Amino acid sequence: MMKIPFFNYADRYEEDREKIKEIVYNVGTSDNFILKERVIEFEEAIGSYTGAKHVIAVANGTTALTILLKAMGVGPGVEVLTPAFSFISTASSIALLGGTPVFVDVDPATGMMDPHDLKRRITPASKVVIPTHLFSVMADMKAINDIAREHNLIVLEDSAVALGARQNGAMAGLLGDAGLYSFFPAKPLGGIGDGAVIVTDHDDFGRISRMLRNHGQDGITRFYHHMLGYNNRMDETVASYLTHKLERYDHLLNRRREIASAYNEAFGGLAPMIQVATDAHEERVYYTYVLQAEKRDELRSHLQSRGIETQIYYPLALPLQPAFAHLGHKPGDFPNAEAITGRSLALPLYAEMPDDQVQDVIRAVTEFYAEVKIHV
């Protein structure tokens, strides 16, 4: 066991111990387990929080991507532009529908999709672009939307970790044609189980997504299937807990920002370390605190020796993953994404993290770089 874990689920759920018992009991005795009134209540709560016209609760974030891509017409012969540095679902969802992932290199400072590289990879077969927000940083949605309009592309905003983030005053998830939020337990609004929602102001994408999540039914006439869909529904226990937790979500976000601010202040002057770039027009949500660190592996070993757990997001750029070997990419094709995979390191950050542990992490990191400077 690490003295300072990367994430502490026990601490996260301790405050809600009795509420969770109550929710499980109430759902268990209700005869309503999946996609019933608690799910509807949660969809309405997310709609109120975000301003989204359509909110569709589904089983998980990958499902949300798959449903939206299907609703947008992705299939064989269709190309979807997606970041070379991201979690695999942004690309695997495309491939599993028969579409072709077209990888786009990223900005070396932020790790987000590079609009300049995006523009040069568009072909007549391109239909959708997936800008992805990672960690605490948002993609340059204005630049990407401008390019999308110029080339008649649909924008699917992968905002899985960015509920509550804003860019130029607009809510993440609603900056493109459709977006999504994930409620996997580690996410800022983490559930007791997996789950996600699709959000969109686009009537057709909302209508089709709602049918696709439940075997192609329209929610009016049971067992009448308008299209072939999926069994990708949110359950009542997850929905009920998320509705409860959403009430204090902004408080949890502010605590994450406090920890990130302490890290920012402490690490800003370290020469061997490149912080993720900030944007004065963003209101950030800190899912994880990821550094681009020189001597990353040595730093990670140093922190481990001090009992501090870290994670690497992500160790291999998507185009070089064995799952995408059929696309024929080779090392050097996406230099920025590949470079970041060798430098990225995530430090512990969660709303329940005690201040003394935050200071222990800061001391250990600054201690390492003080020693490294002697040998640089």
Side-chain angles (χ1 to χ4, degrees):
M1 288 289 293
M2 288 286 157
K3 181 176 70 174
I4 302 178
F6 182 72
F7 197 86
N8 191 323
Y9 288 102
D11 284 355
R12 162 165 265 196
Y13 294 112
E14 178 60 33
E15 180 179 351
D16 290 328
R17 176 195 294 263
E18 296 307 315
K19 185 65 177 180
I20 291 170
K21 292 179 182 177
E22 175 190 325
I23 288 169
V24 172
Y25 177 81
N26 287 342
V27 172
T29 57
S30 71
D31 294 329
N32 289 326
F33 300 104
I34 298 169
L35 210 63
K36 300 296 184 181
E37 66 270 12
R38 294 171 182 84
V39 173
I40 294 171
E41 180 185 7
F42 179 58
E43 290 175 337
E44 291 173 348
I46 290 292
S48 296
Y49 185 84
T50 62
K53 183 177 181 181
H54 301 283
V55 180
I56 301 99
V58 295
N60 55 67
T62 301
T63 286
L65 282 167
T66 302
I67 287 173
L68 277 171
L69 288 166
K70 180 76 171 177
M72 292 170 177
V74 172
V78 173
E79 293 181 353
V80 179
L81 299 126
T82 189
F85 180 71
S86 181
F87 183 61
I88 192 170
S89 62
T90 55
S92 63
S93 299
I94 303 162
L96 288 170
L97 288 171
T100 302
V102 176
F103 291 108
V104 179
D105 208 356
V106 296
D107 184 300
T110 67
M112 301 302 103
M113 178 180 280
D114 180 0
H116 300 291
D117 197 52
L118 167 64
K119 198 164 187 176
R120 75 182 188 88
R121 295 183 187 273
I122 295 170
T123 75
S126 301
K127 186 168 187 176
V128 180
V129 56
I130 307 180
T132 302
H133 312 317
L134 292 177
F135 317 132
S136 65
V137 188
M138 293 179 67
D140 186 344
M141 292 302 298
K142 182 181 184 308
I144 291 169
N145 281 328
D146 287 347
I147 293 168
R149 282 191 291 269
E150 180 183 348
H151 295 274
N152 199 29
L153 300 177
I154 302 168
V155 178
L156 196 177
E157 186 183 356
D158 185 352
S159 48
V161 304
L163 175 63
R166 288 175 171 82
Q167 195 171 84
N168 298 316
M171 178 74 73
L174 299 176
L175 292 161
D177 294 296
L180 63 124
Y181 308 119
S182 170
F183 308 115
F184 176 79
K187 297 296 194 295
L189 186 66
I192 46 172
D194 215 342
V197 294
I198 291 165
V199 289
T200 183
D201 290 338
H202 192 289
D203 290 339
D204 283 345
F205 295 155
R207 177 181 57 82
I208 295 170
S209 294
R210 194 170 291 279
M211 288 192 288
L212 285 173
R213 74 169 173 185
N214 191 18
H215 299 289
Q217 298 175 92
D218 60 10
I220 300 171
T221 306
R222 195 177 184 194
F223 303 134
Y224 193 88
H225 306 273
H226 298 268
M227 61 182 67
L228 295 177
Y230 307 99
N231 178 11
N232 283 323
R233 306 166 298 184
M234 181 179 283
D235 71 60
E236 293 281 284
T237 302
V238 168
S240 184
Y241 179 69
L242 289 171
T243 302
H244 162 73
K245 192 169 183 180
L246 186 62
E247 294 174 1
R248 67 176 193 278
Y249 183 58
D250 286 340
H251 169 75
L252 297 173
L253 291 185
N254 286 335
R255 174 56 182 160
R256 287 172 173 267
R257 291 181 182 118
E258 287 177 3
I259 297 169
S261 293
Y263 284 162
N264 288 342
E265 183 177 352
F267 303 150
L270 292 175
M273 187 172 294
I274 307 168
Q275 284 185 247
V276 172
T278 60
D279 187 327
H281 301 293
E282 286 186 3
E283 184 175 344
R284 306 179 81 177
V285 165
Y286 284 87
Y287 166 47
T288 51
Y289 190 93
V290 177
L291 298 165
Q292 291 194 54
E294 298 298 330
K295 299 185 179 293
R296 189 270 311 278
D297 294 339
E298 294 92 330
L299 172 61
R300 192 180 194 206
S301 295
H302 172 82
L303 294 176
Q304 185 174 10
S305 74
R306 300 299 190 274
I308 299 169
E309 185 180 15
T310 60
Q311 296 289 342
I312 294 176
Y313 296 100
Y314 296 98
L316 187 64
L318 287 178
L320 303 182
Q321 292 281 354
F324 296 114
H326 62 284
L327 297 175
H329 298 299
K330 61 186 185 301
D333 286 350
F334 301 87
N336 295 337
E338 294 170 44
I340 290 174
T341 61
R343 297 197 300 264
S344 63
L345 186 69
L347 303 179
L349 188 157
Y350 52 95
E352 300 78 16
M353 188 175 178
D355 285 336
D356 62 334
Q357 291 190 3
V358 175
Q359 293 305 315
D360 285 346
V361 173
I362 288 171
R363 276 191 292 272
V365 172
T366 53
E367 173 187 80
F368 172 79
Y369 281 109
E371 294 173 358
V372 166
K373 285 180 182 179
I374 297 172
H375 305 289
V376 170

